[in-house]
Amino acid sequence: SSNNKDVAKKRLIERFNFNELQVDAILKMTLSRLINLEIQSFKDEKNKLKVEEETILAILNNKELLFKEIETGLREVSNKFGDNRRTRLMNLEYKGEEEDAEPIEEKELLIYYTNHNNIYTQESTTLMTTRRGRKGSKVKLGKNEVIIQTINDNNLSELLAFTNTGKMYSTYTSELPINAKINCNQLFELEDNEYITTLTTMERKEKAKYLIFITKKGIIKKTKTSEYQKKRGKSLKAINLKDNDEVLNVYPMDNEKIGLTSDGNCIMIETENISPIGRAAAGVKGIKLNDGAQVIDSQIVENQDKFLIAVSKKGYIKKMNLSDIGIATRGTKGKKIQKLDDNDMTVKMLTINTDCDIIINTKGRIIKINSSEISLLSRDAAGTKSMNLEENEQIQDMLIS
């Protein structure tokens, strides 16, 4: 006779002295169940629950029974999940020197540094090799943002950042977000009017003996890596720079040769003959520059390297015999490696032993090609097109994949 649920609920409580939970259970019953009430099924369920209650109370009040129950449960889990281990751990290294460092899986990375002081990181395995002369793929950048420098390394290295004031900062490549950007101010405690001029990476397990510095004014400096041990994120004086000079490149190395380019000339010198000096010192002259010129690029030259590859800002690329350059005396101009128009210039070079994949990028696009597609030419040749450039687009960087 109740008109609604609330009235029915109130009458059930008043007439039968049910509590809230009992009333809710009754009101949820279908009409057929309410008519029959299934009294026997409820009685059976009640008896079953009482038996379970007695059993549980007996287990809780008896340690022997409790331990036996735990043993039974563990055996059930073992029988269900106790098969042979199928997980394999591969390519794992440690994040640092700390004893409690967690192991991480090795990944090959491309690290881009941009004019907005951002670092973009992606796995290099996502970049497919294509034929020379194609357009390549775009890198996701912000508005008016362009790539200044590209580094190819893994996530088991240390990232070193050098600034216009001659300071050095460091972090681990494993701490860089993949397929995302991070501003350098989040990684390093840069001071006002201080900005990064170049980045480099260094292996953490077997570090090289020296850091070799190359500045835009042709200065070369050699210092023991042991002088650059420091806390991550904090600054350290790395080199004493002269007015209007900047650190162009920094290389962790032992006593390999090094090549420097300026105005299309290349000089290759022995670093073994350069004496190591203190961390805050300036260095010595590496290459003789023309008036108004500066060092454009530099490159470590391994003993087994046979070829030099050069690329111009307009995309002309060539391969030549490294023996055509030869070893020169420090402080000289070197030899011409590309014959180009007046409005073109050599921007990057690298040396190789055998053919390999090479990454070339503009300020917003990137392409991977194999060096076997690059023609072997004389020192006076300009080269062939490396990638299809758009109007006003220029080559920015080149590195071995």
Side-chain angles (χ1 to χ4, degrees):
S1 62
S2 300
N3 294 325
N4 54 55
K5 182 178 178 180
D6 292 336
V7 175
K9 187 174 183 178
K10 182 178 179 182
R11 289 178 176 177
L12 284 170
I13 293 174
E14 291 175 349
R15 184 170 180 178
F16 299 102
N17 199 28
F18 291 139
N19 60 35
E20 291 280 346
L21 292 175
Q22 291 171 324
V23 170
D24 288 338
I26 293 170
L27 293 177
K28 288 178 181 178
M29 289 180 180
T30 59
L31 184 59
S32 60
R33 291 189 67 193
L34 189 59
I35 292 171
N36 296 316
L37 285 179
E38 298 180 351
I39 295 174
Q40 188 58 46
S41 65
F42 288 127
K43 286 182 177 180
D44 292 342
E45 183 181 2
K46 179 181 178 181
N47 293 332
K48 181 182 177 182
L49 291 173
K50 279 189 171 294
V51 172
E52 289 183 6
E53 180 186 21
E54 292 172 359
T55 302
I56 292 171
L57 289 174
I59 292 171
L60 293 175
N61 293 323
N62 188 308
K63 282 189 176 182
E64 185 176 343
L65 290 176
L66 178 62
F67 292 156
K68 190 69 177 177
E69 192 69 18
I70 293 173
E71 180 183 349
T72 301
L74 291 174
R75 290 191 181 279
E76 289 177 356
V77 173
S78 177
N79 292 334
K80 185 175 181 180
F81 301 106
D83 55 349
N84 293 330
R85 181 177 182 137
R86 287 170 286 180
T87 303
R88 290 191 301 166
L89 304 180
M90 303 176 66
N91 293 329
L92 295 184
E93 294 287 348
Y94 286 95
K95 291 177 66 177
E97 305 299 330
E98 301 88 348
E99 293 183 0
D100 60 346
E102 296 181 2
I104 55 177
E105 182 182 358
E106 181 177 354
K107 296 179 181 179
E108 292 298 320
L109 304 178
L110 281 174
I111 302 169
Y112 308 108
Y113 176 58
T114 77
N115 62 325
H116 286 184
N117 203 33
N118 291 326
I119 292 177
Y120 285 77
T121 307
Q122 73 174 109
E123 290 190 47
S124 61
T125 51
T126 62
L127 185 63
M128 303 299 293
T129 304
T130 185
R131 293 186 64 83
R132 179 182 58 80
R134 302 291 178 88
K135 280 195 169 183
S137 57
K138 286 188 175 181
V139 181
K140 295 180 180 179
L141 301 172
K143 187 177 180 181
N144 299 322
E145 188 172 22
V146 296
I147 297 171
I148 296 175
Q149 185 183 359
T150 306
I151 295 175
N152 184 23
D153 206 332
N154 59 41
N155 60 332
L156 306 177
S157 293
E158 189 174 4
L159 180 69
L160 307 181
F162 299 88
T163 72
N164 60 313
T165 61
K167 292 182 179 179
M168 185 194 85
Y169 298 81
S170 70
T171 188
Y172 292 145
T173 54
S174 58
E175 296 181 355
L176 301 176
I178 306 297
N179 296 324
K181 72 176 179 179
I182 186 170
N183 192 271
C184 289
N185 288 307
Q186 297 176 253
L187 297 171
F188 314 120
E189 298 178 7
L190 298 174
E191 298 179 356
D192 294 340
N193 301 318
E194 186 181 19
Y195 57 88
I196 294 171
T197 59
T198 188
L199 300 172
T200 191
T201 54
M202 181 165 58
E203 292 184 13
R204 282 180 272 158
K205 293 191 70 177
E206 297 179 2
K207 292 185 177 180
K209 293 180 182 178
Y210 307 104
L211 282 181
I212 299 290
F213 292 76
I214 306 296
T215 76
K216 289 186 175 181
K217 288 193 173 183
I219 299 298
I220 183 169
K221 177 196 168 189
K222 178 180 177 182
T223 305
K224 292 181 178 179
T225 54
S226 58
E227 295 199 30
Y228 294 90
Q229 304 301 318
K230 53 179 281 300
K231 292 184 178 180
R232 285 176 294 158
K234 301 294 184 180
S235 67
L236 188 73
K237 188 67 176 178
I239 184 174
N240 184 18
L241 293 171
K242 296 180 180 180
D243 292 341
N244 301 319
D245 199 6
E246 291 183 359
V247 176
L248 177 69
N249 289 318
V250 181
Y251 302 105
M253 55 191 291
D254 294 325
N255 283 309
E256 298 91 339
K257 296 183 286 291
I258 195 163
L260 291 78
T261 59
S262 175
D263 276 356
N265 291 332
C266 175
I267 182 175
M268 191 161 56
I269 59 178
E270 298 275 7
T271 62
E272 188 175 8
N273 299 328
I274 300 175
S275 300
I277 55 179
R279 181 166 48 82
V284 295
K285 182 181 287 188
I287 185 173
K288 184 178 180 181
L289 301 177
N290 295 326
D291 292 340
Q294 63 181 28
V295 177
I296 300 300
D297 191 28
S298 58
Q299 175 71 35
I300 295 176
V301 182
E302 304 286 352
N303 290 330
Q304 66 270 22
D305 287 347
K306 298 178 181 178
F307 306 104
L308 181 145
I309 297 176
V311 67
S312 74
K313 69 178 182 181
K314 288 191 173 182
Y316 289 99
I317 192 168
K318 65 177 289 188
K319 180 167 59 178
M320 58 179 288
N321 289 313
L322 196 58
S323 57
D324 292 345
I325 301 296
I327 304 297
T329 304
R330 180 178 58 81
T332 57
K333 284 188 176 182
K335 295 180 179 179
K336 203 77 171 176
I337 56 174
Q338 262 185 313
K339 187 176 182 180
L340 301 167
D341 296 337
D342 292 340
N343 56 354
D344 197 5
M345 62 182 292
T346 303
V347 291
K348 299 297 292 186
M349 72 164 187
L350 54 84
T351 59
I352 60 173
N353 178 29
T354 58
D355 283 322
C356 59
D357 287 339
I358 292 172
I359 294 172
I360 304 170
N361 67 267
T362 65
K363 293 182 177 181
R365 290 190 296 121
I366 188 166
I367 190 172
K368 182 194 285 188
I369 65 174
N370 193 276
S371 62
S372 60
E373 293 192 36
I374 305 171
S375 302
L376 183 63
L377 303 171
S378 66
R379 284 198 302 114
D380 294 331
T384 55
K385 279 288 185 180
S386 60
M387 65 187 295
N388 188 7
L389 300 178
E390 298 177 355
E391 188 176 359
N392 297 324
E393 191 176 23
Q394 298 179 358
I395 299 297
Q396 183 71 25
D397 211 344
M398 176 175 64
L399 60 153
I400 296 175
S401 173

